[in-house]
Amino acid sequence: MTTLQLNNINKYFGTGSSRVHVLKDINFTAKKGELNLVIGPSGSGKSTFLTIAGGLQTPSTGEVELEGQAVKSMSNKQRDAMRLNKIGFVLQAYNLIPYLTVKEQFQLVKKVKKEHNLTNLSLEALLRQLDIEELQNKYPGELSGGQNQRVAIARALYTRPDIVLADEPTAALDSERVAEVGKIFQTLAREKNTAVIVVTHDLRLIEFADNVYQIMDGQMTLNNNMKTA
């Protein structure tokens, strides 16, 4: 089932001679049960693509559809509810609240989204899988970049979203952790029927993907040959 679709997306920044065409006629479909990788170097438009897919910014032209509904037709309240209830974001900046412990990060999410979250047992299992269960009383400032990244991943998955959008989720991780995160995303897609989209330059994640897209100079192509390369 198609859960996220981008149709003829273009994005421009700036005006006049400073105008930059960041995304060029992007067409993309994500289905539940699949892990999609979007591979590309820094500056290729990956992060812009992801934030448009998640409704965090609007395209200059084109349309984003979530489960058949055009995002641009939603009110601000509906868009906020969509992001809260349907989408789990893993952003490069982690977006952890500095004055809350790891445990309190999840407690805050539960206050905002009271239902359909992971059970306490499932959360504990996820924290163990990510090897961060011993860090629950630590603050983000006391953690390494890789630890903060794994907390951000856990927080995104805690809400049991229909769609996971992850921006360079393995950038600060060693190969062992990359494999673990890849398996988590793969299992999430296949066993929980979630649409997972990861933008990255980390080729170590390719083995876990159902589909591999390349984005270069704002143009996107499907290249599943990379899975067997």
Side-chain angles (χ1 to χ4, degrees):
M1 175 185 175
T2 298
T3 189
L4 178 68
Q5 188 162 330
L6 278 69
N7 301 313
N8 301 315
I9 297 295
N10 286 274
K11 184 65 177 180
Y12 300 90
F13 290 114
T15 58
S17 61
S18 300
R19 194 184 201 206
V20 179
H21 197 175
V22 179
L23 296 180
K24 303 172 183 176
D25 294 315
I26 298 290
N27 290 286
F28 175 85
T29 298
K31 297 179 179 180
K32 289 185 177 181
E34 292 185 348
L35 169 55
N36 300 277
L37 284 193
V38 179
I39 301 285
S42 298
S44 59
K46 300 191 306 297
S47 295
T48 301
F49 159 79
L50 199 75
T51 53
I52 287 175
L56 294 175
Q57 64 173 310
T58 57
S60 301
T61 62
E63 193 167 84
V64 179
E65 294 182 5
L66 179 68
E67 296 180 348
Q69 183 178 3
V71 172
K72 69 180 180 182
S73 71
M74 298 178 183
S75 66
N76 288 336
K77 186 176 180 179
Q78 288 174 319
R79 207 168 290 153
D80 290 342
M82 172 197 73
R83 287 194 290 263
L84 177 65
N85 296 305
K86 297 284 188 179
I87 301 176
F89 289 97
V90 184
L91 301 176
Q92 287 192 62
Y94 312 135
N95 285 14
L96 300 176
I97 298 173
Y99 54 82
L100 296 181
T101 65
V102 170
K103 180 185 291 186
E104 289 167 343
Q105 307 281 339
F106 297 98
Q107 291 172 345
L108 177 62
V109 173
K110 190 172 183 179
K111 287 181 180 179
V112 177
K113 182 176 181 286
K114 295 178 169 56
E115 298 179 344
H116 197 62
N117 301 312
L118 291 179
T119 64
N120 289 338
L121 284 177
S122 295
L123 176 58
E124 289 295 328
L126 177 61
L127 297 180
R128 280 196 302 274
Q129 193 173 8
L130 288 166
D131 195 25
I132 52 176
E133 77 276 16
E134 301 298 329
L135 305 177
Q136 294 188 61
N137 294 318
K138 300 284 189 182
Y139 293 92
E142 299 176 293
L143 305 180
S144 69
Q147 289 169 333
N148 275 314
Q149 201 154 36
R150 283 177 275 152
V151 172
I153 291 169
R155 190 183 60 178
L157 304 190
Y158 174 63
T159 60
R160 296 172 60 194
D162 294 327
I163 303 168
V164 171
L165 301 176
D167 191 355
E168 299 285 8
T170 57
L173 305 183
D174 60 27
S175 293
E176 182 179 352
R177 302 291 184 214
V178 169
E180 196 60 54
V181 169
K183 289 174 188 173
I184 288 171
F185 283 147
Q186 186 182 65
T187 300
L188 182 70
R190 296 179 182 178
E191 296 184 9
K192 304 300 182 183
N193 202 32
T194 304
V196 182
I197 301 101
V198 178
V199 301
T200 185
H201 65 268
D202 193 341
L203 301 182
R204 295 173 295 179
L205 287 169
I206 287 177
E207 65 177 290
F208 304 101
D210 295 291
N211 298 297
V212 179
Y213 295 83
Q214 284 183 290
I215 189 166
M216 182 71 68
D217 298 328
Q219 295 180 307
M220 181 181 287
T221 55
L222 178 65
N223 189 358
N224 281 336
N225 291 331
M226 292 183 71
K227 294 194 294 180
T228 57

